[in-house]
Amino acid sequence: MQAADLLLVGRVARAHGLRGECKVIPESDDPLRLLDLDRVWVGPTPDGASAVTVDAARLQHTRQGVRALVRLAGARTSEEAAGYAKLNMYARKQDLPPLAPGEFFLHDLPGMTVTTAGGDVVGAVREVWEMPSSNIYVVERPGQADALIPAVPEFVRTVDLENRSLVVVPIEGLLD
C-alpha cells in the first residue's frame, strides 16, 4: 500500500465505552462514509499507518457534532482501544463511496489553475487551509504574494476536477 493512496477520513479522539470502541472525529462533511469501510489504516501519518479491519461502526450525535464510534479488530476493551487515541484514520479512495456531483476531495485541489470569471489567470492552488468557518485556498501567484481565497460560493464559482480548474469571483482587494 502506497501512503499516497490513503486519504485522511478521521482522527481517533479516545476510547469509548468498555467494549473497545474508538471515538473518531470524521474528516468529511458526510460522516456516513465511515460506516461502510471494512478496513482502515491507523497511524500518525500515512507512511506510519497500519491496516486494521473494522469490526463495527456507528454514528453518535453529540453537542460537538457527529462522531463515529468504531471498533477495530483486536480492540475488545477500552484499554486496547485507548492505544489508538490521537492517531489518524485513513482509507483508500477506492474504498470510499462515490462522491455526489459537485463534491470533491480537498487533496484534489492543489495544482488546479485558478482563473477569474472574466478569464484572467490568478495562479494555482498550492494548498488548502482547513479553518473553522470555511476553508481557505492558498493560491500561488508567480512574482506576487500568495492569494488567500475563502472557499465560499460568493468567491468560488466552479471547481472543475476534469479540467483541473477553479473559477473565482474576487471582490475588490482580495487579489491585491
Side-chain angles (χ1 to χ4, degrees), residues 143-174:
Q144 300 179 57
D146 290 346
L148 304 178
I149 300 176
V152 295
E154 293 81 12
F155 298 124
V156 180
R157 285 293 156 91
T158 59
V159 176
D160 185 345
L161 293 173
E162 188 175 318
N163 293 310
R164 306 271 311 136
S165 67
L166 195 138
V167 176
V168 298
V169 179
I171 59 171
E172 186 177 327
L174 185 66

Side-chain angles (χ1 to χ4, degrees), residues 17-38:
L18 302 174
R19 296 189 179 126
E21 288 181 309
C22 296
K23 185 171 280 201
V24 177
I25 301 167
E27 284 292 323
S28 170
D29 59 349
D30 184 3
L32 291 171
R33 291 186 178 123
L34 294 174
L35 299 184
D36 294 326
L37 295 172
D38 296 325

Side-chain angles (χ1 to χ4, degrees), residues 31-171:
L32 291 171
R33 291 186 178 123
L34 294 174
L35 299 184
D36 294 326
L37 295 172
D38 296 325
R39 179 174 52 171
V40 294
W41 282 256
V42 180
T45 64
D47 290 326
S50 300
V52 183
T53 300
V54 176
D55 285 345
R58 60 190 174 103
L59 295 181
Q60 176 187 54
H61 297 274
T62 71
R63 281 180 270 169
Q64 293 81 25
V66 176
R67 302 295 186 243
L69 300 178
V70 180
R71 188 169 52 237
L72 300 171
R76 295 288 173 240
T77 67
S78 62
E79 291 80 17
E80 292 169 338
Y84 293 111
K86 309 260 191 265
L87 294 176
N88 294 324
M89 185 175 287
Y90 303 92
R92 295 183 315 168
K93 187 175 183 176
Q94 62 263 32
D95 292 341
L96 295 169
L99 297 176
E103 291 184 327
F104 51 86
F105 292 109
L106 293 180
H107 82 276
D108 288 332
L109 298 178
M112 281 190 166
T113 301
V114 179
T115 60
T116 65
D120 297 326
V121 175
V122 175
V125 177
R126 183 168 47 87
E127 63 182 310
V128 178
W129 292 347
E130 295 183 59
M131 306 300 280
S133 60
S134 69
N135 293 335
I136 303 289
Y137 299 155
V138 179
V139 179
E140 188 171 33
R141 303 183 299 170
Q144 300 179 57
D146 290 346
L148 304 178
I149 300 176
V152 295
E154 293 81 12
F155 298 124
V156 180
R157 285 293 156 91
T158 59
V159 176
D160 185 345
L161 293 173
E162 188 175 318
N163 293 310
R164 306 271 311 136
S165 67
L166 195 138
V167 176
V168 298
V169 179
I171 59 171

